[in-house]
Amino acid sequence: MRIALVGTRGIPAAYSGFETAVEHLAERFTARGHEVTVYCRPHMTARQETHVGARLVHLPTIRSKHLDTLAHTLVSTAHMATRARPDVAIYFIAGNAPVVPLARLAGIPSILQIDGLDSERAKWSGAAKAYLRTAERIAPSAATIAVTDSAAVADAYERRHGRRIPWIAYGADMPDPGDTGWCARLDVEPGRYVLFVGRLVPENNAHLLIEAHRTLGTDWPLVIVGDAPYADDYIAGLRASAGPGVRMAGYVFGDGYRELVHRSGVMCAPTEVGGTHPVIVEGMAAGAALVVSDHGPNLEVVGDAAASFPLDGGAPALARALGALIDDPARREELGARAAARAAERYSWDACADSYLRLCETVRRSAGR
């Protein structure tokens, strides 16, 4: 099959969980003999012709918080319909729903992956939220089929929009790279720091974690890995509130990222929006002792293999959960072992890729291709 992956910033992954998923899926699709095209944004990815066996197409976009994704997806769809002509297109991000019917009009069946309910994100204005709610509602009709990444998101979608959509779990691939120098660079001792990884946007709650870390008064440093475009004011606020025990690492990918996850004493994911966060699944696969918020998809992913805290308890509740784990090495070891076992049992990129390929075959046949 010829498969196009559309709607993200592209690969090599250098931004979020969407790009991580695209990279893993593209690698496995090509390994199974399929021809894969990934559409990329030039300002977010290296200009190379191929990666993990997939062909990369770099097309222009409008570099704007509100128009970047939609504009690039529109241009990519035009290229796909007139030149690439794939058998199936897999779109990512619900906000792209209004563009997806153009692929179907061109005779290209499509899958639209909805990662959580994007309209809940604090970064969007009222008008943007209204647009995204509409895009989420029309997603199943816009594409040949819409899917999400967790049962909790499928439940939330059904409650809000009255339609049930299927879900396919993400995977994890977290080999220990050994010492890549990142712990030394950040001046942290392996096994004695708290780690946050994610986009620095309000709903991922890095600010809450910084406040909890300050409240806790621990001698364990807090390492913040991540960044975000169009979030300069929020990130400036994080830096202003960060004490001397906080290390702002910026983006870290590849072996450096894997080293920091494997060497963390506690890994924290205080997110309140979205579906399955790949960093949680990857932390589990690395055997990290995790603290997650009580956001439904987070609890679904970790089961009994992580500590949690109530979001409505704010920074004090998070500080208590962190402090309890920092003070209990046996509990950290127990949770890490449970997490690794759960990830091995439930979260596999091979299984994820196979599920998407089966879905591709289904929509391809339904379109008579």
Side-chain angles (χ1 to χ4, degrees):
M1 264 187 299
R2 297 186 306 276
I3 304 170
L5 302 176
V6 193
T8 71
R9 288 159 182 83
I11 59 175
Y15 183 66
S16 75
F18 274 129
E19 288 72 32
T20 298
V22 167
E23 186 164 332
H24 283 292
L25 291 175
E27 181 178 15
R28 283 155 179 81
F29 291 171
T30 58
R32 288 156 173 76
H34 301 284
E35 183 181 314
V36 179
T37 300
V38 179
Y39 286 91
C40 307
R41 303 180 206 177
H43 65 286
M44 291 298 296
T45 56
R47 277 198 177 260
Q48 55 194 71
E49 293 183 0
T50 62
H51 182 64
V52 296
R55 180 171 73 107
L56 309 186
V57 176
H58 296 84
L59 295 173
T61 185
I62 299 172
R63 294 186 61 176
S64 157
K65 175 180 176 181
H66 293 92
L67 296 176
D68 191 355
T69 294
L70 194 63
H72 188 261
T73 301
L74 181 60
V75 172
S76 300
T77 299
H79 181 281
M80 183 178 66
T82 58
R83 299 181 63 182
R85 300 301 302 171
D87 296 308
V88 179
I90 303 177
Y91 284 84
F92 294 80
I93 305 172
N96 286 319
V99 177
V100 177
L102 298 178
R104 297 180 68 188
L105 286 173
I108 302 169
S110 57
I111 298 165
L112 176 55
Q113 206 274 6
I114 303 171
D115 175 25
L117 300 180
D118 223 21
S119 59
E120 297 176 354
R121 297 188 185 277
K123 67 179 180 178
W124 299 121
S125 65
K129 285 178 182 289
Y131 166 80
L132 288 169
R133 281 193 292 270
T134 300
E136 289 164 1
R137 179 175 52 79
I138 69 172
S141 301
T144 309
I145 190 169
V147 299
T148 189
D149 57 23
S150 78
V153 174
D155 292 342
Y157 188 92
E158 186 174 21
R159 287 193 299 270
R160 175 175 292 186
H161 299 294
R163 296 183 67 170
R164 185 73 182 178
I165 57 175
W167 61 278
I168 298 173
Y170 279 164
D173 183 18
M174 286 294 287
D176 187 343
D179 183 1
T180 69
W182 267 96
C183 284
R185 186 181 308 183
L186 294 172
D187 190 26
V188 294
E189 180 184 344
R192 286 184 56 82
Y193 60 90
V194 178
L195 177 65
F196 168 96
V197 180
R199 282 180 289 173
L200 299 186
V201 291
E203 63 269 13
N204 283 342
N205 284 324
H207 61 283
L208 190 72
L209 180 54
I210 288 173
E211 183 182 348
H213 182 262
R214 182 172 58 249
T215 300
L216 191 58
T218 179
D219 62 352
W220 283 30
L222 168 60
V223 175
I224 303 286
V225 172
D227 207 330
Y230 317 121
D232 292 349
D233 291 345
Y234 177 72
I235 294 171
L238 293 180
R239 293 186 181 280
S241 63
V246 179
R247 316 283 199 266
M248 302 287 289
Y251 285 130
V252 183
F253 291 96
D255 284 346
Y257 161 66
R258 285 185 280 271
E259 178 196 354
L260 292 175
V261 174
H262 274 277
R263 304 295 179 273
S264 65
V266 174
M267 189 170 177
C268 185
T271 58
E272 62 181 82
V273 174
T276 299
H277 288 271
V279 296
I280 296 179
V281 179
E282 290 167 346
M284 291 169 62
L290 281 153
V291 175
V292 303
S293 70
D294 63 353
H295 178 51
N298 292 351
L299 297 180
E300 177 190 336
V301 170
V302 300
D304 64 353
S308 64
F309 74 97
L311 278 165
D312 60 9
L318 177 51
R320 286 192 294 272
L322 286 175
L325 270 190
I326 288 172
D327 292 341
D328 192 343
R331 178 66 171 162
R332 295 199 304 273
E333 183 176 356
E334 176 193 3
L335 288 179
R338 283 189 192 174
R342 184 176 176 87
E345 177 187 353
R346 292 172 177 251
Y347 298 102
S348 158
W349 281 120
D350 286 331
C352 180
D354 289 341
S355 293
Y356 271 102
L357 287 173
R358 285 193 294 270
L359 200 58
C360 285
E361 276 294 347
T362 298
V363 300
R364 183 186 181 189
R365 286 195 303 269
S366 72
R369 301 198 67 179

